[in-house]
Amino acid sequence: MHQAPATPKAVRRQHDREIVSLAVPAFGALVAEPLFLMVDSAIVGHLGTPQLAGLAIASALLATAVSVFVFLAYATTAAVARRVGAGDLRAAIRQGVDGIWLALLLGAAVVALTLPAAPWLVDVFGASDTAAPYATTYLRISSLGIPAMLVVLAATGVLRGLQDTRTPLYVAIAGFAANGALNLGLVYGAGLGIAGSAWGTVIAQFGMAAAYLFVVVRGARLHGASLRPEAAGIRASATAGAPLLVRTLSLRAVLMIATAVAARLGDAEVAAHQIILSLWSLMAFALDAIAIAGQAIIGRYLGAEDADGARQVCRRMVQWGVVSGIVLGVLLVVTRPLFVPLFTGDTAVQDTLLPALLVVALSQPISGVVFVLDGVLMGAGDGPYLAWAMLLTLAVFAPVALLVPTLGGGLTALWGAMTLMMIVRMATLWFRERSGRWLVTGATR
């Protein structure tokens, strides 16, 4: 007796359950990451203003260094998910192990560069004479944790590829709790000051990396996957990650240009821009959670040779992105009277902030589509196209943004340029999705 084919409504419900089961824990893990810095800031802030200024500079440098290597998570997720879809868990975990070895190599290289260059890097960021020694101390100690941070990125990609976003959430919560306790104990209990904050964070990061490695090693032994480094596999991981590195650097350039332009507009404008950027980043976490689900699910469908299934779930995720963007935009407008006074009591900053905030709210559905399609194409291993698309977007955005101070319009015009950037991204990603060229099936792309 043949089973009746699933109805379109039943298929949508199945997709929805899978998206939610992956996206919700992913969102929790993403939100846990910036909480590390908030805890450090709260604890170090009581030591004094120079210490807090030093922490801010060192943290910005570390965040930039680590964000550049986020491809370790993205590329590993796509590669592992394909092999899961193909039914080869041994090869999936082996691919993940190669990604972790690449993370260790890159981490060691970054530490070797950062330790001697720390004073110069702090100086380039414009640290004052009083803040510079604290920034250098924090940067040098914290850089020792970079290999652990990169291992966490790669191992997170392994688990996402295995369709597991709950374990990264649990590890992130445990790491957050350990970081807070260690910081308090070392900064005040042991009297180590800002150095204690740095050591506390490093210990927590290595603890998180150890937890991930335990899970990966257990999976490797269960499925008979080798844990030894293989040059060919490490090269394959680097090759897959290189285009995503270009994409990430291009996106960082967009954000740096926007901040530089805001600084030229005036103090009130740059203060308002920083507030909006913080809110924009927070909303990006929610949309990025759907994108992470997309990376894992799309990779699995393509690995299973199911191009039609991949296209269907892509369409459903785009709908999720649009609805999520609308909800976030409405929330931003409705809750505006509540959160704006929390950020600033300066009426000049508030007056500058409000019209630009409306532009951001209206653009959120566009952002929803962009994040989802970005995740879909990453899951498909379509890195080279993403790199070229982001370079094109940067080429369009840069001259428009740089003209804002000359042509006028202030911060609202700058965030209009940011919206144009997102529209260009959406157009390039939508064109690729419609072309179907990303639908390459098989255990490897």
Side-chain angles (χ1 to χ4, degrees), residues 105-134:
L105 290 172
L106 290 172
V110 173
V111 172
L113 291 171
T114 305
L115 284 175
W120 176 79
L121 289 168
V122 167
D123 185 56
V124 167
F125 259 61
S128 66
D129 290 340
T130 51
Y134 296 112

Side-chain angles (χ1 to χ4, degrees), residues 146-157:
I146 287 176
M149 295 163 78
L150 299 191
V151 165
V152 166
L153 283 176
T156 299

Side-chain angles (χ1 to χ4, degrees), residues 137-371:
T137 297
Y138 191 93
L139 181 59
R140 276 187 165 147
I141 296 170
S142 291
S143 68
L144 299 175
I146 287 176
M149 295 163 78
L150 299 191
V151 165
V152 166
L153 283 176
T156 299
V158 177
L159 295 182
R160 288 174 182 170
L162 293 170
Q163 319 295 295
D164 176 9
T165 56
R166 290 182 181 274
T167 301
L169 172 61
Y170 300 148
V171 174
I173 292 171
F176 171 69
N179 180 61
L182 286 164
N183 269 260
L184 280 171
L186 294 173
V187 171
Y188 297 114
L192 296 179
I194 195 169
S197 176
W199 281 117
T201 302
V202 168
I203 294 167
Q205 286 161 348
F206 271 99
M208 291 171 69
Y212 275 116
L213 288 174
F214 173 79
V215 174
V216 173
V217 169
R218 185 179 61 184
R221 287 178 174 165
L222 180 64
H223 296 285
S226 172
L227 294 170
R228 294 176 183 175
E230 291 183 2
I234 294 170
R235 275 198 305 273
S237 294
T239 302
L244 296 180
L245 174 61
V246 173
R247 168 204 165 273
T248 301
L249 290 173
S250 301
L251 185 55
R252 295 292 300 185
V254 165
L255 298 177
M256 288 173 65
I257 290 169
T259 301
V261 170
R264 290 174 61 190
L265 296 175
D267 289 347
E269 284 78 3
V270 75
H273 173 75
Q274 189 57 41
I275 293 169
I276 293 175
L277 198 59
S278 299
L279 293 165
W280 192 72
S281 299
L282 181 62
M283 291 185 293
F285 283 133
L287 299 174
D288 202 26
I290 305 172
I292 286 168
Q295 292 171 31
I297 297 170
I298 292 294
R300 196 190 74 231
Y301 270 101
L302 294 177
E305 310 268 356
D306 188 355
D308 288 339
R311 194 185 283 279
Q312 286 176 21
V313 77
C314 170
R315 288 173 181 165
R316 189 58 178 164
M317 279 188 287
V318 168
Q319 292 169 2
W320 270 80
V322 171
V323 172
S324 299
I326 292 170
V327 170
L328 289 170
V330 170
L331 280 174
L332 195 64
V333 173
V334 171
T335 60
R336 182 184 59 192
L338 299 175
F339 67 75
V340 168
L342 295 176
F343 282 103
T344 179
D346 189 325
T347 54
V349 175
Q350 290 183 1
D351 291 344
T352 304
L353 177 73
L354 296 178
L357 206 59
L358 185 59
V359 173
V360 174
L362 290 171
S363 70
Q364 284 310 294
I366 297 169
S367 296
V369 175
V370 168
F371 275 81

Side-chain angles (χ1 to χ4, degrees), residues 403-428:
L403 281 172
V404 166
T406 305
L407 299 178
L411 191 66
T412 304
L414 176 58
W415 276 94
M418 287 288 283
T419 302
L420 172 64
M421 179 270 294
M422 294 302 285
I423 290 171
V424 174
R425 285 188 74 188
M426 183 175 71
T428 57

